């Protein structure tokens, strides 16, 4: 590994991905590894600095995650955050106990006072709000360490041994609630570890292309292209690296948004690769006829997708590599550190069972979503593809409540396109994280011209979110909603009523089905 890398050791903290994000935002490469990483592997990684994350345990518990104390003899600077801070104290002769109310059990925003002579806080204000989340207390600070921050309730909010380059903070500098938190991380990287800040997406792109060429050699590569951001960027990267050795199979199930299939195909026309677009609309609609239950829809589409892909793969014959668009949050969620395994990820469920290939390539597995988008730009993918919103695999099938017909899919496509166009015209397309239309199964009476109508109700959904785990409904200005409503009712047949969904997640999910 390059000496210009940071190693983040994960102790099961909920913010570990965020720490890695902040380090990379400072133009320094880093990787999150489980705390069980051996000393030998750490030496081989050769980091210029190590960050210990937070975690839910107490360091003095026998079963709590620990590190090999020899890690402190490597001569590498260490920043411990929350649990990580207590781990440093615990290993180097300090004492950590459960906090009582008078010894600072702190949660949430806390006014904090910093000693700016310490390199971690160099050039920052002497006072600010930090985000605390700890139920333990450093009763005794290890020898050689100074106290460099305190709050009204807690005298030892941060400790440092500048000689050895060891720093510990009880708060979370990686979250937005901590004022100047990213600056503190930047100080650790640049002032303490001597980072040069050379990591850019352009460099990453060149390196990734070279690595893929070396790995693939003269082999054949197969990729299932969904048209989403991850699979599109993975396809562009492989196309750039191995060109005509790549076959992309794009299964168009007829449940995509308006013009989406054509846009995806157009985006890849600049590369010399085998682009196979399968028009499977009739086949999918036939399988879905009369099905109203959401889970059944998902299952039918998933299975049919695999059947179609399998048929295309058989035409190609043996391939050497299958590409998947797994990204870093998927890798971390699948069980780094001590956090419970949240979910196991396979973008193309079950495909490896019968497609004849030697190895899987996951070219985006070290990147976060915003980095994937940046890589897409580096590769020259159009902005409409790079900034594409999350779109469920079953597509419009789960945005049509009740049974699915081609007529309903076309109605929803047209209405959804108007909604998205007006959001973009109003300049709201970057501030709202996801927005789409849902064709409900409800019909109601309306009046159009002199006649009475009995037509569908369309629901509009728009949310703001940072992680899609929780989401708030977007406060779209009334005049924008009015324009959307007037246009849809006038331009799209069979819709005579528009509703706006004002439910957050939880209790509602983002999608309706």
């Amino acid at each position: 590994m390059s000496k210009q890398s940071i190693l983040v050791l994960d102790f099961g903290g909920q913010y570990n991905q965020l720490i890695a994000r902040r380090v990379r935002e400072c133009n320094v490469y880093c990787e999150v590894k489980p705390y069980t990483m051996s000393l030998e592997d750490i030496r081989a990684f050769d980091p210029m600095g190590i960050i210990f994350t937070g975690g839910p345990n107490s360091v003095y518990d026998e079963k709590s995650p620990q590190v090999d104390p020899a890690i402190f003899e490597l001569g590498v600077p260490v920043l411990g955050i929350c649990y990580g801070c207590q781990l440093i104290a615990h290993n180097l002769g300090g004492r950590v106990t459960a906090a009582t109310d008078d010894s600072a059990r702190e949660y949430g925003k806390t006014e904090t006072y910093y000693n700016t002579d310490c390199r971690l806080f160099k050039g920052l204000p002497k006072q600010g709000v930090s985000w605390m989340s700890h139920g333990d207390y450093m009763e005794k600070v290890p020898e050689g360490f100074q106290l460099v921050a305190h709050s009204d309730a807690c005298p030892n909010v941060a400790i440092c041994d500048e000689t050895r380059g060891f720093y510990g903070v009880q708060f979370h500098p990686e979250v937005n609630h901590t004022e100047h938190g990213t600056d503190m991380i930047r100080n650790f990287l640049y002032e303490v570890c001597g980072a040069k800040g050379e990591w850019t997406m352009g460099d990453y792109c060149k390196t990734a292309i070279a690595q893929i060429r070396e790995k693939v050699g003269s082999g054949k590569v197969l990729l299932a292209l969904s048209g989403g951001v991850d699979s599109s960027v993975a396809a562009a990267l492989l196309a750039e690296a191995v060109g005509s050795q790549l076959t992309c199979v794009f299964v168009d199930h007829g449940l995509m948004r308006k013009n989406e299939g054509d846009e995806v195909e157009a985006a890849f026309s600049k590369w010399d690769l085998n682009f196979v677009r399968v028009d499977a609309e009739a086949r999918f609609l036939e399988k879905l006829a009369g099905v109203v239950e959401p889970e059944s829809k998902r299952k039918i589409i998933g299975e049919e997708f695999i059947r179609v892909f399998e048929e295309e793969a058989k035409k190609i014959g043996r391939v050497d590599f299958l590409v998947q668009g797994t990204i870093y949050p998927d890798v971390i969620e699948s069980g780094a550190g001590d956090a419970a395994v949240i979910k196991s990820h396979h973008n193309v469920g079950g495909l490896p069972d019968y497609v004849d290939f030697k190895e899987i390539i996951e070219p985006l597995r070290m990147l976060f979503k915003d980095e994937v988008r940046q890589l897409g730009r580096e590769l020259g993918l159009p902005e409409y593809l790079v900034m594409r919103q999350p779109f469920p695999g079953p597509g419009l099938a789960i945005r049509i409540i009740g049974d699915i017909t081609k007529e309903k899919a076309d109605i929803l496509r047209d209405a959804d396109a108007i909604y998205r166009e007006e959001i973009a015209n109003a300049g709201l397309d970057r501030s709202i994280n996801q927005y789409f239309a849902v064709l409900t199964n409800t019909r109601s009476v309306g009046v159009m011209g002199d006649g009475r109508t009995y037509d569908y109700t369309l629901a509009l959904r728009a949310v703001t979110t940072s992680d899609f785990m929780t989401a708030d409904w977007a406060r779209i200005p009334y005049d924008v909603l009015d324009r959307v409503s007037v246009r849809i009712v006038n331009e799209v047949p069979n819709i005579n009523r528009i509703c706006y969904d004002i439910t957050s997640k939880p209790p509602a999910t983002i999608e309706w089905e």
Side-chain angles (χ1 to χ4, degrees):
M1 209 61 227
S2 143
K3 189 70 177 154
Q4 281 285 311
S5 296
I6 292 286
L7 178 61
V8 179
L9 286 185
D10 175 10
F11 291 90
Q14 56 181 337
Y15 304 124
N16 48 40
Q17 289 191 29
L18 209 45
I19 298 169
R21 290 282 297 273
R22 295 290 175 258
V23 172
R24 291 189 186 183
E25 281 164 12
C26 295
N27 295 105
V28 176
Y29 184 71
C30 72
E31 288 187 26
V32 180
K33 298 284 188 185
Y35 73 90
T36 49
M37 188 178 186
S38 70
L39 202 63
E40 199 181 333
D41 288 343
I42 292 172
R43 278 202 188 94
F45 189 92
D46 193 20
M48 63 173 170
I50 299 172
I51 298 178
F52 295 166
T53 73
N57 303 83
S58 295
V59 286
Y60 46 80
D61 284 352
E62 275 177 33
K63 290 183 178 150
S64 65
Q66 296 292 332
V67 287
D68 185 332
I71 200 167
F72 299 106
E73 310 295 324
L74 293 174
V76 176
V78 178
L79 169 62
I81 294 173
C82 202
Y83 179 86
C85 171
Q86 292 158 10
L87 199 63
I88 292 174
H90 182 71
N91 271 280
L92 296 176
R95 190 162 57 248
V96 178
T97 58
T100 56
D101 288 339
D102 60 350
S103 69
R105 176 185 282 120
E106 294 174 302
Y107 292 100
K109 293 180 178 179
T110 308
E111 198 61 45
T112 309
Y113 309 91
Y114 305 103
N115 174 353
T116 54
D117 292 339
C118 167
R119 281 187 287 182
L120 202 59
F121 308 122
K122 184 180 167 183
L124 304 183
K126 289 185 185 303
Q127 188 177 342
V129 169
S130 70
W131 181 260
M132 296 283 189
S133 177
H134 65 97
D136 283 335
Y137 172 69
M138 264 185 299
E139 188 177 67
K140 176 170 173 259
V141 173
E143 214 165 298
F145 279 78
Q146 282 178 285
L147 294 175
V148 284
H150 67 276
S151 63
D152 294 329
C154 182
N156 39 18
V157 165
I159 56 172
C160 78
D161 176 344
E162 301 254 47
T163 316
R164 290 187 286 177
F166 296 155
Y167 298 81
V169 294
Q170 289 278 34
F171 55 89
H172 287 275
E174 70 276 20
V175 302
N176 286 330
H177 302 304
T178 296
E179 292 173 348
H180 298 284
T182 301
D183 294 328
M184 296 170 194
I185 291 171
R186 185 178 284 110
N187 276 347
F188 176 69
L189 301 172
Y190 286 83
E191 299 291 329
V192 178
C193 302
K196 297 191 181 82
E198 295 168 333
W199 192 70
T200 67
M201 196 42 74
D203 290 342
Y204 186 88
C205 186
K206 283 191 204 102
T207 308
I209 288 167
Q211 285 171 343
I212 290 166
R213 278 183 189 147
E214 189 181 341
K215 187 179 185 94
V216 171
S218 58
K220 284 167 79 176
V221 185
L222 177 63
L223 181 145
L225 183 63
S226 69
V229 178
D230 302 340
S231 75
S232 296
V233 173
L237 189 60
L238 265 295
E240 194 66 40
V242 298
S244 60
Q245 292 162 251
L246 170 68
T247 300
C248 286
V249 176
F250 173 44
V251 178
D252 187 346
H253 50 30
L255 294 160
M256 302 191 74
R257 290 169 287 201
K258 192 165 186 175
N259 302 329
E260 202 157 49
D262 296 341
E263 287 175 358
V264 171
E265 192 169 354
F268 287 93
S269 60
K270 67 180 223 175
W271 282 287
D272 172 28
L273 74 159
N274 305 304
F275 190 95
V276 180
R277 179 176 176 179
V278 187
D279 178 5
E281 180 183 46
R283 183 172 170 168
F284 276 86
L285 287 175
E286 190 185 332
K287 288 271 188 217
L288 289 163
V291 178
V292 297
E293 211 270 315
E295 269 318 296
S296 302
K297 290 178 187 176
R298 286 177 188 274
K299 215 169 185 162
I300 288 166
I301 289 170
E303 282 172 11
E304 199 57 21
F305 179 90
I306 286 174
R307 296 291 84 80
V308 176
F309 186 82
E310 186 180 18
E311 285 165 25
E312 293 303 320
K314 277 182 181 155
K315 291 177 196 169
I316 298 158
R318 180 170 179 79
V319 293
D320 302 284
F321 301 95
L322 181 74
V323 180
Q324 294 199 328
T326 317
I327 66 172
Y328 204 30
D330 302 340
V331 175
I332 299 177
E333 276 192 2
S334 295
D338 217 32
V341 176
I342 299 170
K343 52 191 167 183
S344 60
H345 283 266
H346 267 295
N347 283 353
V348 190
L351 280 180
D353 293 347
Y354 48 71
V355 175
D356 196 9
F357 68 96
K358 281 195 269 194
E359 204 180 327
I360 287 180
I361 296 183
E362 295 174 310
L364 310 178
R365 65 178 284 117
M366 298 318 293
L367 299 182
F368 291 101
K369 191 71 160 195
D370 52 331
E371 294 172 328
V372 172
R373 294 190 198 279
Q374 199 48 47
L375 177 59
R377 291 189 185 100
E378 288 285 338
L379 290 160
L381 280 175
E383 200 64 11
Y384 66 72
L385 206 57
V386 169
M387 287 311 293
R388 177 147 286 166
Q389 291 189 21
F391 188 58
L396 299 181
I398 55 167
R399 293 180 182 173
I400 296 170
I401 312 301
D403 67 322
I404 297 161
T405 62
K406 178 156 171 48
E407 183 201 21
K408 280 185 178 178
D410 288 340
I411 291 169
L412 180 53
R413 254 189 283 274
D414 288 343
D416 183 70
I418 291 170
Y419 181 31
R420 288 190 293 135
E421 188 182 311
E422 288 299 338
I423 291 288
N425 289 346
L428 299 171
D429 50 335
R430 290 294 173 96
S431 55
I432 303 174
N433 300 95
Q434 198 172 357
Y435 47 96
F436 54 87
V438 176
L439 187 65
T440 75
N441 214 11
T442 303
R443 301 180 83 160
S444 66
V445 175
V447 179
M448 278 182 151
D450 296 328
R452 176 180 175 281
T453 60
Y454 187 63
D455 276 328
Y456 289 110
T457 299
L458 185 85
L460 303 176
R461 181 79 162 130
V463 297
T464 55
T465 176
S466 57
D467 55 11
F468 290 91
M469 302 295 211
T470 61
D472 194 12
W473 62 276
R475 273 56 171 177
I476 297 176
Y478 289 157
D479 60 323
V480 178
L481 286 173
D482 183 53
R483 272 198 303 280
V484 172
S485 174
V486 169
R487 276 195 63 193
I488 290 174
V489 171
N490 281 321
E491 296 174 33
V492 183
N494 304 111
I495 293 174
N496 66 359
R497 194 177 294 269
I498 311 280
C499 298
Y500 187 49
D501 178 351
I502 56 166
T503 331
S504 293
K505 175 188 177 180
T509 50
I510 294 175
E511 296 286 348
W512 274 40
E513 287 199 336

